[in-house]
Amino acid sequence: MDGSNHSRVSEFLLLGISESPGQQRVLFWVFLSMYLVTVVGNMLIILAIGSDSRLHTPMYFFLANLSLTDLFFVTNTIPKMLVNLQSQNKAISYAGCLTQLYFLVSLVTLDNLILATMAYDRYVAICQPLHYVTVMSPGLCVSLLALCWALSVLYGLTLTLLMTRVTFCGSRKIHYIFCEMYVLLRLACSDTQVIHTVLIATGAFIFLTPFGFMITSYVRIVRAILQIPSASSKYKAFSPCASHLAVVSLFYGTLCMVYLQPLHTYSMKDSVATVMYAVVTPMMNPFIYSLRNKDMHGALGRLLPEKGFHRWI
């Protein structure tokens, strides 16, 4: 078979984490439950922020967009995975696989950039409180979000186009739950050194640069908070930051486990880590941001019947 035929792959087989029928049934219900919790939780965050004028601030504007990104993120992967767990036909077309990969890369990048923007918002709010309203103007917030989207779309498009130049041969079986960059590169029979180098270099820039910015922001935030004389005022100032730090830690912890390593070391443990950032992180974000936030408590309480809300939290 020549190289041109290698590149014309018609489909891949998404075999998932397990091929055991019994385990697949369990995984179906586990992932379905997680998907429903993620959708409901993030929808509640978006509706609560949209319906409460007191939450029409830059911090909650970015939080609503983070929840929207997480909704798109899980919907890109989990429904197809659920169908595969219930079906004998586990095929995904070549175009469908690259489409899934494009949205996966773009939305992970968007999550990352929105988290960095939220760190900047907290930095201005705590370190420059007198200038917060003028600095974090609606126009700037929209511009920052537009920049996040533009960079994410461009990055996802770049890596997806590079993947179209990769040729495949031999097995089309993907022992995984969705089309992920490293998994596809393991199936390639062409030289992947260039795309792997680009993946590491651009990934380090587009992920570690915002991460470094967040660390710098929080160093300055902590310094500013330590100068506040009142303990209660310190807690009030740092409370919104604690939720953001928890989400950042969960996101970057799992992401670094997967991507900051050579391709040949990628293994099943990294598949578990990818499930963590692709499924668990979007599910946990609404809980992290709502359980410690009195403003969100109030907004959710007004949005939901009181008894139902307290049962949910």
Side-chain angles (χ1 to χ4, degrees):
M1 185 180 292
D2 59 28
S4 61
N5 288 333
H6 289 326
S7 63
R8 292 178 185 146
V9 178
S10 60
E11 64 181 23
F12 293 99
L13 297 177
L14 286 173
L15 300 181
I17 298 174
S18 171
E19 295 184 60
S20 166
Q23 291 181 353
Q24 286 188 357
R25 283 193 292 271
V26 173
L27 288 172
F28 173 83
W29 289 110
V30 168
F31 283 117
L32 177 61
S33 301
M34 295 172 73
Y35 179 64
L36 293 176
V37 170
T38 303
V39 170
V40 172
N42 283 287
M43 282 297 298
L44 285 175
I45 293 292
I46 294 170
L47 291 173
I49 293 173
S51 63
D52 195 326
S53 59
R54 283 166 287 194
L55 300 184
H56 294 175
T57 63
M59 181 178 76
Y60 293 108
F61 170 73
F62 293 122
L63 176 56
N65 279 278
L66 182 68
S67 291
L68 184 64
T69 303
D70 285 342
L71 274 176
F72 289 150
F73 190 88
V74 294
T75 302
N76 176 52
T77 55
I78 297 183
K80 175 62 177 173
M81 176 176 58
L82 294 174
V83 170
N84 286 352
L85 286 171
Q86 288 290 90
S87 172
Q88 295 298 319
N89 181 14
K90 302 183 184 300
I92 182 172
S93 68
Y94 175 76
C97 190
L98 289 188
T99 300
Q100 192 178 70
L101 175 66
Y102 165 74
F103 283 108
L104 180 69
V105 172
S106 298
L107 293 171
V108 170
T109 305
L110 184 58
D111 250 348
N112 166 63
L113 295 176
I114 290 177
L115 287 172
T117 306
M118 294 174 74
Y120 176 68
D121 171 76
R122 290 299 84 206
Y123 163 74
V124 176
I126 294 174
C127 298
Q128 302 178 27
L130 298 180
H131 302 287
Y132 181 74
V133 175
T134 54
V135 172
M136 297 302 295
S137 64
L140 178 64
C141 292
V142 172
S143 297
L144 288 173
L145 184 64
L147 179 62
C148 292
W149 271 97
L151 290 174
S152 302
V153 168
L154 180 62
Y155 184 58
L157 187 60
T158 300
L159 291 187
T160 305
L161 289 175
L162 284 174
M163 282 299 299
T164 63
R165 301 177 64 84
V166 174
T167 58
F168 299 93
C169 56
S171 175
R172 303 290 193 269
K173 295 180 180 180
I174 299 177
H175 294 274
Y176 203 53
I177 57 177
F178 50 75
C179 291
E180 195 271 338
M181 181 71 72
Y182 271 25
V183 175
L184 289 176
L185 290 177
R186 290 290 291 268
L187 298 178
C189 58
S190 60
D191 184 8
T192 61
Q193 187 60 43
V194 172
I195 188 172
H196 188 237
T197 301
V198 171
L199 181 62
I200 293 294
T202 58
F205 173 76
I206 206 162
F207 286 97
L208 295 186
T209 300
F211 184 60
F213 173 78
M214 281 186 265
I215 292 176
T216 303
S217 297
Y218 272 104
V219 167
R220 296 182 179 181
I221 287 171
V222 169
R223 286 177 180 173
I225 290 176
L226 290 176
Q227 294 175 2
I228 300 175
S230 169
S232 59
S233 298
K234 287 181 180 178
Y235 176 81
K236 184 178 180 181
F238 190 73
S239 183
C241 300
S243 299
H244 182 256
L245 281 173
V247 172
V248 168
S249 300
L250 183 60
F251 178 81
Y252 276 98
T254 54
L255 206 62
C256 290
M257 286 174 60
V258 177
Y259 293 110
L260 294 185
Q261 61 173 304
L263 177 60
H264 67 271
T265 65
Y266 192 77
S267 63
M268 181 54 71
K269 69 179 178 62
D270 303 300
S271 300
V272 175
T274 308
V275 171
M276 285 290 292
Y277 86 72
V279 182
V280 176
T281 301
M283 181 183 70
M284 293 302 298
N285 286 353
F287 293 98
I288 293 172
Y289 275 108
S290 62
L291 292 179
R292 293 177 54 86
N293 190 307
K294 291 183 180 179
D295 293 332
M296 284 302 305
H297 269 196
L300 288 169
R302 288 183 286 273
L303 181 67
L304 299 171
E306 185 175 353
K307 291 183 179 179
F309 169 65
H310 287 296
R311 192 182 301 117
W312 182 72
I313 63 170

